[in-house]
Amino acid sequence: MKKIAEDVFYVGVNDRVSPLFENYIPIPEGVSYNSYLIKDETVALVDTVEAGFAPEFFSKLDDCLGERKVDYLIVDHVEPDHSGSIVQLLMKYPKMVVVGNARTLSMLEGFYGYLENTYEVKEGDYLNLGKHVVRFYMAPMVHWPEVMFSYDETSGTLFSADAFGSFGALNGGVTDTELDVSGLYGETRRYYASIIGKYGTQVRLALKKVSPLKINMICSTHGPVWKEAIPKIMELYDGWSSYNASRGAVIAYGSMYGHTREMAEEVARGLVEAGVRSVSVYDVSHTDVSYILSDVFRYRALVVGGPTYMNGMYPYVESLLEAVAHRGIKNHIFGAFGEFSWGGVVGKTLRQFAADNGMALVGEPVECKQGLTPGLREQCRMLGKAVADALA
Ligand code: FEO
């Protein structure tokens, strides 16, 4: 338990146990499930934690509350990493009123069964806790359709559900004023790319909605509480949600026997020789797609290569392309290269991918049949140079 503002407490937990978030995305640095308590004349809890961490969560609640009870549970997001402790919470506080919009309440009943005491809120409605007045702003699809933001007008705290969240457990502190968050922004971007990146339009609508508010503190459901870095995190969200990436390139390749890997090296060399310093090269068989996606949000060029495999794309390359397409990545330029032994399909498939996803294809895909030649190496370097020129 930690006090983060007058009457406002952090009661979240760290998950350093799960290897995968959503049983899918690697979290080598863990993740936090954040929950917040407003201790006023009445007591409101904002979101809970994943069910497996309920004992630690309840211990923090008890420390913070003493003999007092939770009067309201505000549910900004129903996904079970935040709602998972609701059943136990209701057993402990059976009179607790669950606060959410119509969709929230319907989804909660679907997950957990009948809720006896509920308070349904709509856009602009508020909850008066005594000194603190919490107003509600709907933020649909800032991950799930029921998501809403809760804004404590008294302390200037925006409870933002998954928005502004980050992978990475909280190492001893909670707020960005007590933690060194300089190394965390990569994980914040990977979180955005993995979880929210598909919903750039909805993120922008939510950002616009809260832009007139005086925000002293942003409390996401994951990662640090943002205080002094609010301008920075807002600026990053503005850029990511508008797909406004910087001058740089991601080269992602699949390779069975090394030919496309060597082609990737030549493309990277061509980019650097042409003056692009920000180049990330990934072997898709060895780097989880979330890390590559994160850099796709960071850099404006994406160059993809792979071997023809069973008359199609190499499986990990195909997974990456699917993930990129799902995010609706915009404003990117695209380069392609590939290798085949007897019948090449990579070039035309990648060309079609660029067309289908609104990416400007740079030059023609470079294709290698069987072995690399000096001429093909030069073509790869020229592809890198052409991508660099297109980035200028
Ligand atoms: Fe952290 Fe969408 O749940």
Side-chain angles (χ1 to χ4, degrees), residues 77 79 81-82 143 162 191 222:
H77 186 15
E79 191 165 8
D81 52 336
H82 310 298
H143 195 204
D162 281 347
Y191 177 86
H222 301 286

Side-chain angles (χ1 to χ4, degrees), residues 55-109:
E56 185 180 343
F57 171 59
F58 281 105
S59 158
K60 289 187 174 187
L61 271 183
D62 289 345
D63 275 356
C64 195
L65 284 174
E67 295 302 308
R68 299 189 66 184
K69 294 181 169 39
V70 175
D71 299 293
Y72 298 100
L73 170 65
I74 297 170
V75 180
D76 282 336
H77 186 15
V78 174
E79 191 165 8
D81 52 336
H82 310 298
S83 68
S85 300
I86 281 184
V87 171
Q88 288 145 288
L89 201 63
L90 281 166
M91 287 169 71
K92 189 173 171 75
Y93 306 113
K95 293 201 166 82
M96 182 182 76
V97 176
V98 179
V99 181
N101 57 57
R103 197 149 199 176
T104 306
L105 299 175
S106 159
M107 290 173 87
L108 284 175
E109 291 205 345

